[in-house]
Structure formats: structure tokens, C-alpha cells
Amino acid sequence: MPLNIKEILKKKRLYLDGAMGSLLQNRIETIGPVPEALNLSQPELIKEIHQLYIDAGANIILSNTFGVNGYKLKDSGYTVEQLVTAGVKNVKSLNPDYTALDVGPLGTLIGALGEVTFDQAVDYFKEIIKAGDQAGADLIVIETMTDICEARAALIAAKEVSELPVIVSMTYEENSRTLTGSDALTAVAILEGLGADVIGINCSTGPDAMLPIIKELIHYASVPIMVEPNAGLPHMKDGKTVYDITIDQFADYMVQIAEMGALILGGCCGTTPAYIDKLKRATKELPLYPITQKSFTAVSSSTKTIILGEDINIIGECINPTTNPVLKASLRQGELTVVNQLASEQKKDGAHILDINLGLPDIDELTMMQKAVDTVSRLVDCPLQIDSSNPEVIEAVLRGYPGKAIINSVNGKKSSMDKIFPIAKKYGALVLGLTMDETGIPSLAADRFAIAEKIIKTAESYGISKKNILIDALVLTASAQQAEVRETIRTLEKLRAELEVPTVLGVSNISFGLPNRELLNRTFLAMALEAGLTTPIMNPSDQEMMDTIKAFRALWGLDGQCIAYANAYKDSSFGESKSETERAALGLKEIIEEGLTDRAAEATAILLKTREPLDIVNNEIVPALDAVGDAFETGECFLPHLIFAAETAQKAFEVIKETMARDGQAQVAKGKIVLATVEGDVHDIGKNILKVILENYGYEILDLGKDVKAETIIQTIQTEDIKLVGLSALMTTTVKNMQKIITAIKADCPATTIMVGGAVLNPEYAQTIGADYYGKDAREGASIAKRVFE
């Protein structure tokens, strides 16, 4: 029978081990790009380190398999099964309380951001987890995840091939978000929905910087929390890497964290057995934090979570071909330009969630829905509602969607619930329940309410809690069923009073077949809001409807001191709507800023008819990239947006380069830059992101790849007359190599400037190993290049 970790944590706190890499670094001069190969070549050394942590009091020991996966092991001569089996068995031979299969990131971004598809990532993780399960692991620890999309892939893989309990741990940046922009609430909503048994935070920082994030995790999570901090930040001392938080300081912080409610404690980079020993002795007698079930209803994109029911949240209804002939024609041609435009416009107009319905009988709905959800997720941070009558389409879309979506919809028919609830349970989605069943839509509020109760009760039998259900009280047309208008309002009142679930209505259905529909719509909306409607489905470009919501929020106390209302109308006339001219096509700068990749080439070609190529580069493309970069710096947008804006700029550059080549003009090039991941390291996410950004600022990039020797870098510098080199390292075991390479470059190529980056570095550390600049992210890398060349 699989380990029940939640039950164990009701009775005792558990302790993880510390840093395998840090101890290996002190014992072996050159570890190599596959540290996990030591499971086979030096198993006694690996066991010795595991035993030190067991002796220190750790009762969960992680296998030395963090970097083992099919993507990283290409051309290495090793297989996943070999290294995972050896790693797990090395731990088990020591008889710790619990042997954990350690699963780290693949080493590349996945999906639209990278070179590995979501399904390929799932398959890579399945291979690891199958091997670990068969080797006898007691639980799975998926850790140091920087991308919620990749964490989802790993967790889905684990649930599909194993019954072992799963811990999923994200790592956060200084802005309290992951590399790709997820905050703690979003991580909890998505991972808990997918069935993570424990949610964690590890690496990146010391425990002090983690405290605000841990507070958020514990506040929102209904599952136990694991915390594995670094021993602070690294720096060099007497040629060795040391960390700036002492053992005593670390233990003091971990006492705070245990008192906050974390139930699994351990250490990451720099935490030796002495850290774990002191940690356990300091916290083992502290009382346990009882896990409580949180009741909030959350819908998420990868970077934004909305808690429903506490305020008025609008579901934009416009991506629906049945009401939009232009969209219908576009879809029939296999194009998503109109979908993208509608998504962008609805976000600007105030929609919080976007409904996506592409139900046309003469298109491949499954393929088009997957593409549409992917592209809309790139453009806007609004969570999505997946609107389809086909369960296969719903499941295919939810599998790859990087958030927690709403399924639109299920009804009270047994056949409907039997089809939809298993999908919702597997992928952690919310479900919109319609108050209708085999008998149709009841006339009376009491009967609709009874269907809502049945939907919720049936959902619970599938393991779906009430907090993951929304209820649609259903709107019938006043022209045909006038009496039912009042029954809809009564249904809302009853739902609010007795079930306390978020409520939904497709508001504009009320006026079908009657004149002056706008008047009826906004009047009915006001009635419904007062009765308890929290989540209207509507067109957010309907200014009068939006005005009604703003006014209601001000009058109902949802808009504190009426600030949002006052700000909305202080500089404009009431009810003033945007003209068609104001909604005209965007310029190239705005197209790049919004990441509208499919519109960049055409916009550039139009500009080239009246403007010079370099004028477009300097006054459209570069300012757009600067604007997105500034927004990235201030936290207004996140890594995916930065990358998609760069890719959009690349489309514009391609048109400009073709035009200049055809006209015999000199190509746009600001200078050559060499990028490389240093010898012994096979991670290149940061390097690849920086490459995309720099290329779109007009630099020529010579990418030497990963695991690159100093001689190769130096030869390229000398041959190509390189002024700037960017070096990357992610593993603590390879920072020594970075220092050696910097020393060699300085000796042979003293005029070359060196910038460095990577998760294991910081400005002070970069300075001590001889680098000229430290780039904390791709945006900073672009700024460094500008300083060096300009």
C-alpha cells in the first residue's frame, strides 16, 4: 500500500536531507556534466553522503537523481533507468525511514516557450518516475521547478504511472514569482487541483527571503507545506564556495517557518549535515500545524489567479463563432488572428476570464481549440473557460493548459456528470454547473436549486469539492418566458444564501427578440448583481453594462471608498464609449508590446513603404522591446511575455532584413556576442532566453551550446574578434569551472568583457570569480550589451 504522507504529517514533522551537490563539490575536483553517474561509478561515496544526512536526523533521503532525464542524457552514454535505479537503490540500502525519488527540471523550457512540447515533457517525466517506482522509492519529490507548466507535466506524469505520494516544490525569484511568473497562490491553485500531496518551496534563496512566500502558501493551501531553503547566498572564500547564513541562523529561521505551519523541513544548496542536525534539534518539539481545508474558489492562468465569489468577475463571451461571422470565417480558413484580437480587446475592456468556444461543425474543433488556447495564453494573463460540448476536446485542452481553467459546462443529467467530472478531477479544473437536467430547465427556483445541490453532491462523489463548482442559474428570454425572469433572480438569492457558491449568468439572453436590448440587459444585470450574481458572462466592450458593474461595486461596498469608480470617470464623460477609430489597427510598436506575432510582418511591410529600415528599428522595434523590458523589470509582465514580444520583434526583423538584402543595404548588426554554458553544465534555459532577447536588439549571437570548454570559447573570441562573452551555469558543482574559464579568458583575451548569469550566482559571487558583469535575467543581459557596445 502506498505511503499516506498526509496521515503521517498529522502525527509528526518530517525532515529532508540537505545539499548533495555541495558535499560532492568538496570531495571531487571535477564532477562532470552528469553528477548522477556517480551512482554507478562511485556508489560508496554517494552512500557516505546519504548516511551523513541520516545520522543528522533526516528521515526523507532524496536519491541522487535530480538531473536524470532523457532530455539531459542525450549522447551521454547513460540511460534514465540505469541512473535512477542505482540512485534509488543506493538510498534504500541504508534503510532510511523514507526513500524519495528526486525529480528535477528537464533543463529547457517547454511548450510555446521552449524546444520540448508539453506531451514530450510528460513522457520524459514518466520514464523517470516509472524507473523510480520500480526501484522501490517510497515517494516522489518534484523540486526546483521554475515553470508551472513543467511542474504540471511532471505531476501529471507521476499520477498517470505511479500511486506514490507526490511532493511538488517550486523555486521563486526575488519578486516572489517563479521564473515564468507564477506566484504562490497560482502554484497552490494549480498543483493542489492536480492532486499534489504536498506543495513546497526550495532553492534560490535563504530562509529569510522565503518567509513572505511561505506565509502565502500556508494561507491558501489545503495540503501540507514543505520548505527547503539554501544556506543563504554563495560567495568565494579561499577558493571555496561558502554561504552567508550560518548554521545557527538557519535553524532560527527554520523555527519561525515551523511555527508558521510548514510540516516538512530540509535544506537545499549549501546545507551540510550540520545544518540538518541543528534544524531538527531546534524544531522537533514544536507543535504541529493542523491542515485545514480552504474554501476559496480559484481560477488561474499561469501568472494570474482570480478568487471567485468575493467580487464581481466578468467572463468575456466574445470568442464564439455563433455570434460573430468574422470569427466564423477566420476559423474556417484555419486562422486565429480574430481569436487573438478578441482576446486582447476583451482583456483591455475589463474581462477577468475569457470563454473560448470554437464549436463549428465544419472545422477540426480539437486542433483549433488547442491552438487557440495556446495562443491566447501567450497574449493575455486572463484565466480561461473552456467551452465545448465534446469531452475529448475539453480533456485535450485541459491537459496542456498551463493554469486552472473552468469547464463550460456540466448539467444535472447523469450522463453529463459522468463524462465531465472525471476530466475535471484529473486536471483540477473548475466546473460550471447548469441548473437543468433530463427534464429541461425548471420553471421554479426551488427546482433549479435542487439541481444545483445534485451537481455539487455528485461532484463530491468524484472527489471534487464544492469550492471547484460554479452554478449558472440560467437566463430565459423575457419575451417568451417572462415569469421565469423572476425565478432566475430567486435562484440566485437561494444559491447565495444556502450554497455560497460563485454564480454565473449569460446576461444578454434575457433580451433576445425584444427592442432596445441594451436597456433590458443592463437593468437585468443590476437586478442579478443585487440578488447574488458574482460572475456574469457578457461582452466587456458593452460600456453601459460595464458602467452598471462599476456603479454596483461602488454602491455595494466592493470598491473601497469608491476609488475605482472615481478613477474610471474623473477624466471622461459618463457612458462615453470608444469610437471605431480608437479601436483601429495597432502600430508595430504596440503589436510587439502585446506579442501579436501573426501581425508583425504585415505591419512592418506597410511601414517599409514610407520609412527607412533603420528608422523602423530605432523608433519602433527597439522602443517596443525597451517598454516590455521595463514592464518586466517592474513586475507588470513576466518571462513568457518578454519572450513572445522578442519573437514578434523577430518577425519584424525578418521582413526588414529581406528588404535590406534585396536593396543591397548593409544589414542591421550592433556587434557579435558569444554565449556558452560552461564545461560540466548541461543547462541552457537562461542562455537560450538571453539569445532570443539579444538577437532582437540587433546583436549577432554565436551560441556555443552547453558543456563548453575554455579552449573553445577562447578560440571563438580570437577568431571572431569578440568584444562580449556571456557565460551561464546553473549547478553549484560547475561554478568552479566558470571561475577557471573566466581566468583563462582574462589571460588570453584581456580586452574581452565577460558577463555571467545563472541560478547559483549573485552580484557578489560574480565579482569574486572575476566576471565584469552579473546579469540576473535576460533583460539585464541586454542592458549590459548596450553598455559594452554603445
Side-chain angles (χ1 to χ4, degrees), residues 46-69:
I46 300 300
K47 290 179 187 179
E48 175 195 330
I49 293 173
H50 288 323
Q51 187 64 55
L52 289 173
Y53 285 113
I54 293 172
D55 295 342
N59 44 26
I60 300 177
I61 302 298
L62 279 73
S63 58
N64 181 37
T65 54
F66 176 82
V68 176
N69 61 67

Side-chain angles (χ1 to χ4, degrees), residues 109 112-113 628 638-648 689 692-693:
L109 291 171
L113 295 174
V628 175
F638 307 105
L639 181 64
H641 195 152
L642 188 68
I643 293 175
F644 296 139
E647 290 179 349
T648 306
I689 293 169
V692 170
I693 302 302

Side-chain angles (χ1 to χ4, degrees), residues 147-221:
D147 178 10
I148 196 67
C149 187
E150 185 173 18
R152 287 186 74 258
L155 182 51
I156 287 171
K159 293 295 181 180
E160 289 186 345
V161 300
S162 174
E163 295 183 357
L164 296 177
V166 186
I167 299 171
V168 185
S169 181
M170 308 298 295
T171 183
Y172 296 82
E173 307 283 306
E174 290 179 1
N175 62 357
S176 295
R177 289 180 178 263
T178 67
L179 177 67
T180 53
S182 303
D183 60 4
L185 170 58
T186 299
V188 168
I190 294 171
L191 298 175
E192 193 175 293
L194 284 168
D197 296 280
V198 178
I199 294 171
I201 174 173
N202 78 291
C203 206
S204 283
T205 67
D208 50 340
M210 286 184 172
L211 293 175
I213 303 170
I214 295 167
K215 183 178 179 181
E216 291 283 293
L217 291 172
I218 291 170
H219 177 72
Y220 289 112

Side-chain angles (χ1 to χ4, degrees), residues 698-710:
Y699 298 103
E700 181 182 347
I701 305 303
L702 303 179
D703 184 357
L704 303 184
K706 49 197 176 186
D707 191 20
V708 183
K709 296 180 182 295

Side-chain angles (χ1 to χ4, degrees), residues 68-84:
V68 176
N69 61 67
Y71 178 80
K72 286 184 186 173
L73 293 182
K74 290 177 200 170
D75 306 319
S76 70
Y78 299 101
T79 68
V80 168
E81 185 177 8
Q82 267 183 313
L83 298 184
V84 167

Side-chain angles (χ1 to χ4, degrees), residues 19-61:
M20 170 66 72
S22 297
L23 269 64
L24 286 176
Q25 198 174 23
N26 291 332
R27 285 164 167 76
I28 302 176
E29 180 64 25
T30 303
I31 296 172
V34 187
E36 297 79 11
L38 295 170
N39 293 338
L40 297 170
S41 62
Q42 297 193 49
E44 294 309 314
L45 171 61
I46 300 300
K47 290 179 187 179
E48 175 195 330
I49 293 173
H50 288 323
Q51 187 64 55
L52 289 173
Y53 285 113
I54 293 172
D55 295 342
N59 44 26
I60 300 177
I61 302 298

